[in-house]
Amino acid sequence: MCIFCKIVNNEIPSNKVLENDDFLAFHDMYPKAPMHILIIPKNHVDCFHDVQPETMAGMTSFIQEVATLVGIDKSGYRLITNNGEDGGQEVKHLHFHLLGGAKLPFKHLTDETQKNL
Ligand code: AMP
């Protein structure tokens, strides 16, 4: 069982923000922004490329609800999902990173970065 499935099953602890029957939001243990929340479907899906559109429909409104709940809906936020090896996905259970709470820098995929690819 993957680490995020263990979090869903309460086999390992997490700092939960919101959950419903289908989705769970919890704080990232190594936050990269003042607000860094991970949002996952409770049913295991490896990555974004494998997710059913119907799951994403529910996920979309759940993510919006989380952003509103933590008060970053008006100030703005960044939503990221890393997909597969080249995408830098470390945990193989679909998750969205919801990042906010400050004006976030955007260092990746600048012209300078692209020169080094
Ligand atoms: P990714 O590189 O997109 O797969 O992101 C995985 C994220 O999961 C990283 O930001 C980690 O800090 C985070 N993470 C890993 N294990 C845990 C955990 N047990 N609780 C909370 N966050 C975790």
Side-chain angles (χ1 to χ4, degrees), residues 36-60:
H36 186 173
I37 294 168
L38 299 175
I39 297 163
I40 66 172
K42 288 187 171 178
N43 287 332
H44 184 93
V45 178
D46 277 353
C47 63
F48 178 77
H49 197 74
D50 292 344
V51 74
Q52 295 297 315
E54 306 81 62
T55 303
M56 283 308 302
M59 183 82 117
T60 298

mmCIF file of all heavy atoms in Angstrom, residues 36-60:
data_model
loop_
_atom_site.group_PDB
_atom_site.id
_atom_site.type_symbol
_atom_site.label_atom_id
_atom_site.label_comp_id
_atom_site.label_asym_id
_atom_site.label_seq_id
_atom_site.Cartn_x
_atom_site.Cartn_y
_atom_site.Cartn_z
ATOM 1 N N HIS A 36 1.024 25.083 1.995
ATOM 2 C CA HIS A 36 1.335 24.011 1.041
ATOM 3 C C HIS A 36 0.516 22.781 1.436
ATOM 4 O O HIS A 36 0.833 22.082 2.397
ATOM 5 C CB HIS A 36 2.837 23.682 1.065
ATOM 6 C CG HIS A 36 3.253 22.686 0.018
ATOM 7 N ND1 HIS A 36 4.578 22.372 -0.212
ATOM 8 C CD2 HIS A 36 2.528 21.928 -0.868
ATOM 9 C CE1 HIS A 36 4.640 21.460 -1.190
ATOM 10 N NE2 HIS A 36 3.409 21.174 -1.585
ATOM 11 N N ILE A 37 -0.534 22.569 0.666
ATOM 12 C CA ILE A 37 -1.482 21.491 0.963
ATOM 13 C C ILE A 37 -1.470 20.493 -0.192
ATOM 14 O O ILE A 37 -1.352 20.877 -1.365
ATOM 15 C CB ILE A 37 -2.895 22.094 1.152
ATOM 16 C CG1 ILE A 37 -2.908 22.976 2.409
ATOM 17 C CG2 ILE A 37 -3.964 21.018 1.239
ATOM 18 C CD1 ILE A 37 -4.138 23.849 2.540
ATOM 19 N N LEU A 38 -1.563 19.221 0.164
ATOM 20 C CA LEU A 38 -1.674 18.170 -0.850
ATOM 21 C C LEU A 38 -3.128 17.710 -0.916
ATOM 22 O O LEU A 38 -3.774 17.542 0.127
ATOM 23 C CB LEU A 38 -0.779 16.984 -0.489
ATOM 24 C CG LEU A 38 0.716 17.288 -0.406
ATOM 25 C CD1 LEU A 38 1.479 16.053 0.078
ATOM 26 C CD2 LEU A 38 1.269 17.759 -1.748
ATOM 27 N N ILE A 39 -3.609 17.518 -2.120
ATOM 28 C CA ILE A 39 -5.008 17.098 -2.313
ATOM 29 C C ILE A 39 -5.016 15.822 -3.144
ATOM 30 O O ILE A 39 -4.407 15.776 -4.225
ATOM 31 C CB ILE A 39 -5.807 18.231 -2.994
ATOM 32 C CG1 ILE A 39 -5.814 19.443 -2.056
ATOM 33 C CG2 ILE A 39 -7.230 17.769 -3.302
ATOM 34 C CD1 ILE A 39 -6.195 20.730 -2.685
ATOM 35 N N ILE A 40 -5.672 14.800 -2.602
ATOM 36 C CA ILE A 40 -5.624 13.479 -3.240
ATOM 37 C C ILE A 40 -7.026 12.866 -3.349
ATOM 38 O O ILE A 40 -7.895 13.153 -2.524
ATOM 39 C CB ILE A 40 -4.709 12.507 -2.458
ATOM 40 C CG1 ILE A 40 -5.279 12.194 -1.061
ATOM 41 C CG2 ILE A 40 -3.292 13.057 -2.340
ATOM 42 C CD1 ILE A 40 -4.531 11.091 -0.319
ATOM 43 N N PRO A 41 -7.198 11.988 -4.351
ATOM 44 C CA PRO A 41 -8.406 11.158 -4.339
ATOM 45 C C PRO A 41 -8.171 10.029 -3.333
ATOM 46 O O PRO A 41 -7.049 9.532 -3.198
ATOM 47 C CB PRO A 41 -8.473 10.613 -5.774
ATOM 48 C CG PRO A 41 -7.061 10.616 -6.253
ATOM 49 C CD PRO A 41 -6.340 11.713 -5.518
ATOM 50 N N LYS A 42 -9.214 9.625 -2.615
ATOM 51 C CA LYS A 42 -9.040 8.540 -1.632
ATOM 52 C C LYS A 42 -8.786 7.199 -2.326
ATOM 53 O O LYS A 42 -8.031 6.377 -1.825
ATOM 54 C CB LYS A 42 -10.250 8.465 -0.711
ATOM 55 C CG LYS A 42 -10.302 9.638 0.270
ATOM 56 C CD LYS A 42 -11.405 9.474 1.301
ATOM 57 C CE LYS A 42 -11.291 10.540 2.374
ATOM 58 N NZ LYS A 42 -12.366 10.453 3.375
ATOM 59 N N ASN A 43 -9.434 6.993 -3.464
ATOM 60 C CA ASN A 43 -9.149 5.770 -4.230
ATOM 61 C C ASN A 43 -7.832 5.943 -4.962
ATOM 62 O O ASN A 43 -7.600 6.968 -5.608
ATOM 63 C CB ASN A 43 -10.265 5.497 -5.251
ATOM 64 C CG ASN A 43 -11.529 5.007 -4.573
ATOM 65 O OD1 ASN A 43 -11.479 4.396 -3.498
ATOM 66 N ND2 ASN A 43 -12.666 5.289 -5.181
ATOM 67 N N HIS A 44 -6.983 4.943 -4.866
ATOM 68 C CA HIS A 44 -5.644 5.065 -5.461
ATOM 69 C C HIS A 44 -5.690 5.217 -6.979
ATOM 70 O O HIS A 44 -6.299 4.416 -7.685
ATOM 71 C CB HIS A 44 -4.783 3.849 -5.098
ATOM 72 C CG HIS A 44 -3.379 3.975 -5.590
ATOM 73 N ND1 HIS A 44 -2.362 4.489 -4.803
ATOM 74 C CD2 HIS A 44 -2.830 3.736 -6.803
ATOM 75 C CE1 HIS A 44 -1.248 4.527 -5.513
ATOM 76 N NE2 HIS A 44 -1.508 4.078 -6.738
ATOM 77 N N VAL A 45 -5.029 6.256 -7.454
ATOM 78 C CA VAL A 45 -4.750 6.467 -8.878
ATOM 79 C C VAL A 45 -3.278 6.836 -8.919
ATOM 80 O O VAL A 45 -2.832 7.680 -8.130
ATOM 81 C CB VAL A 45 -5.584 7.639 -9.457
ATOM 82 C CG1 VAL A 45 -5.246 7.870 -10.920
ATOM 83 C CG2 VAL A 45 -7.075 7.384 -9.297
ATOM 84 N N ASP A 46 -2.516 6.214 -9.802
ATOM 85 C CA ASP A 46 -1.067 6.446 -9.800
ATOM 86 C C ASP A 46 -0.683 7.894 -10.077
ATOM 87 O O ASP A 46 0.199 8.439 -9.427
ATOM 88 C CB ASP A 46 -0.386 5.575 -10.868
ATOM 89 C CG ASP A 46 -0.127 4.160 -10.373
ATOM 90 O OD1 ASP A 46 -0.337 3.888 -9.178
ATOM 91 O OD2 ASP A 46 0.291 3.315 -11.205
ATOM 92 N N CYS A 47 -1.322 8.481 -11.077
ATOM 93 C CA CYS A 47 -0.868 9.805 -11.528
ATOM 94 C C CYS A 47 -1.963 10.477 -12.353
ATOM 95 O O CYS A 47 -2.971 9.848 -12.698
ATOM 96 C CB CYS A 47 0.419 9.692 -12.353
ATOM 97 S SG CYS A 47 0.189 8.738 -13.863
ATOM 98 N N PHE A 48 -1.733 11.745 -12.664
ATOM 99 C CA PHE A 48 -2.730 12.505 -13.420
ATOM 100 C C PHE A 48 -3.072 11.829 -14.741
ATOM 101 O O PHE A 48 -4.237 11.822 -15.166
ATOM 102 C CB PHE A 48 -2.204 13.932 -13.675
ATOM 103 C CG PHE A 48 -3.152 14.763 -14.495
ATOM 104 C CD1 PHE A 48 -4.284 15.315 -13.914
ATOM 105 C CD2 PHE A 48 -2.923 14.961 -15.840
ATOM 106 C CE1 PHE A 48 -5.181 16.061 -14.668
ATOM 107 C CE2 PHE A 48 -3.811 15.713 -16.602
ATOM 108 C CZ PHE A 48 -4.939 16.264 -16.008
ATOM 109 N N HIS A 49 -2.076 11.244 -15.386
ATOM 110 C CA HIS A 49 -2.316 10.668 -16.707
ATOM 111 C C HIS A 49 -3.313 9.509 -16.659
ATOM 112 O O HIS A 49 -3.915 9.168 -17.682
ATOM 113 C CB HIS A 49 -1.003 10.206 -17.347
ATOM 114 C CG HIS A 49 -1.128 9.995 -18.812
ATOM 115 N ND1 HIS A 49 -1.209 11.036 -19.717
ATOM 116 C CD2 HIS A 49 -1.270 8.863 -19.551
ATOM 117 C CE1 HIS A 49 -1.360 10.561 -20.925
ATOM 118 N NE2 HIS A 49 -1.408 9.239 -20.862
ATOM 119 N N ASP A 50 -3.471 8.897 -15.486
ATOM 120 C CA ASP A 50 -4.365 7.739 -15.356
ATOM 121 C C ASP A 50 -5.741 8.096 -14.796
ATOM 122 O O ASP A 50 -6.592 7.222 -14.664
ATOM 123 C CB ASP A 50 -3.738 6.695 -14.413
ATOM 124 C CG ASP A 50 -2.506 6.050 -15.016
ATOM 125 O OD1 ASP A 50 -2.315 6.172 -16.240
ATOM 126 O OD2 ASP A 50 -1.742 5.426 -14.254
ATOM 127 N N VAL A 51 -5.948 9.358 -14.414
ATOM 128 C CA VAL A 51 -7.191 9.692 -13.701
ATOM 129 C C VAL A 51 -8.376 9.806 -14.664
ATOM 130 O O VAL A 51 -8.226 10.254 -15.814
ATOM 131 C CB VAL A 51 -7.016 10.992 -12.865
ATOM 132 C CG1 VAL A 51 -6.994 12.240 -13.735
ATOM 133 C CG2 VAL A 51 -8.105 11.108 -11.802
ATOM 134 N N GLN A 52 -9.539 9.361 -14.189
ATOM 135 C CA GLN A 52 -10.762 9.483 -14.973
ATOM 136 C C GLN A 52 -11.276 10.921 -14.904
ATOM 137 O O GLN A 52 -11.219 11.554 -13.833
ATOM 138 C CB GLN A 52 -11.847 8.562 -14.397
ATOM 139 C CG GLN A 52 -11.522 7.085 -14.494
ATOM 140 C CD GLN A 52 -11.402 6.616 -15.941
ATOM 141 O OE1 GLN A 52 -12.225 6.957 -16.781
ATOM 142 N NE2 GLN A 52 -10.349 5.862 -16.223
ATOM 143 N N PRO A 53 -11.802 11.438 -16.004
ATOM 144 C CA PRO A 53 -12.341 12.795 -16.004
ATOM 145 C C PRO A 53 -13.407 13.009 -14.923
ATOM 146 O O PRO A 53 -13.496 14.089 -14.340
ATOM 147 C CB PRO A 53 -12.938 12.947 -17.406
ATOM 148 C CG PRO A 53 -12.168 11.993 -18.245
ATOM 149 C CD PRO A 53 -11.805 10.835 -17.355
ATOM 150 N N GLU A 54 -14.196 11.963 -14.629
ATOM 151 C CA GLU A 54 -15.248 12.117 -13.600
ATOM 152 C C GLU A 54 -14.622 12.386 -12.233
ATOM 153 O O GLU A 54 -15.185 13.128 -11.419
ATOM 154 C CB GLU A 54 -16.113 10.843 -13.497
ATOM 155 C CG GLU A 54 -16.726 10.381 -14.811
ATOM 156 C CD GLU A 54 -15.747 9.579 -15.666
ATOM 157 O OE1 GLU A 54 -15.299 8.518 -15.231
ATOM 158 O OE2 GLU A 54 -15.422 10.045 -16.779
ATOM 159 N N THR A 55 -13.481 11.762 -11.971
ATOM 160 C CA THR A 55 -12.793 12.012 -10.697
ATOM 161 C C THR A 55 -12.306 13.452 -10.645
ATOM 162 O O THR A 55 -12.424 14.130 -9.620
ATOM 163 C CB THR A 55 -11.596 11.042 -10.526
ATOM 164 O OG1 THR A 55 -12.084 9.706 -10.612
ATOM 165 C CG2 THR A 55 -10.902 11.249 -9.192
ATOM 166 N N MET A 56 -11.793 13.925 -11.784
ATOM 167 C CA MET A 56 -11.295 15.311 -11.820
ATOM 168 C C MET A 56 -12.417 16.318 -11.634
ATOM 169 O O MET A 56 -12.198 17.401 -11.082
ATOM 170 C CB MET A 56 -10.565 15.588 -13.138
ATOM 171 C CG MET A 56 -9.170 15.021 -13.214
ATOM 172 S SD MET A 56 -8.131 15.472 -11.802
ATOM 173 C CE MET A 56 -8.190 17.239 -11.877
ATOM 174 N N ALA A 57 -13.624 15.969 -12.060
ATOM 175 C CA ALA A 57 -14.753 16.892 -11.881
ATOM 176 C C ALA A 57 -14.969 17.141 -10.389
ATOM 177 O O ALA A 57 -15.092 18.292 -9.942
ATOM 178 C CB ALA A 57 -16.008 16.321 -12.532
ATOM 179 N N GLY A 58 -14.990 16.067 -9.606
ATOM 180 C CA GLY A 58 -15.156 16.212 -8.158
ATOM 181 C C GLY A 58 -13.954 16.858 -7.512
ATOM 182 O O GLY A 58 -14.074 17.668 -6.584
ATOM 183 N N MET A 59 -12.778 16.502 -8.022
ATOM 184 C CA MET A 59 -11.526 17.037 -7.479
ATOM 185 C C MET A 59 -11.472 18.551 -7.665
ATOM 186 O O MET A 59 -11.014 19.281 -6.779
ATOM 187 C CB MET A 59 -10.361 16.374 -8.233
ATOM 188 C CG MET A 59 -8.995 16.753 -7.766
ATOM 189 S SD MET A 59 -8.539 15.778 -6.335
ATOM 190 C CE MET A 59 -7.155 14.901 -6.982
ATOM 191 N N THR A 60 -11.951 19.036 -8.799
ATOM 192 C CA THR A 60 -11.900 20.466 -9.087
ATOM 193 C C THR A 60 -12.659 21.263 -8.034
ATOM 194 O O THR A 60 -12.113 22.216 -7.453
ATOM 195 C CB THR A 60 -12.480 20.749 -10.492
ATOM 196 O OG1 THR A 60 -11.677 20.072 -11.450
ATOM 197 C CG2 THR A 60 -12.489 22.236 -10.805
#
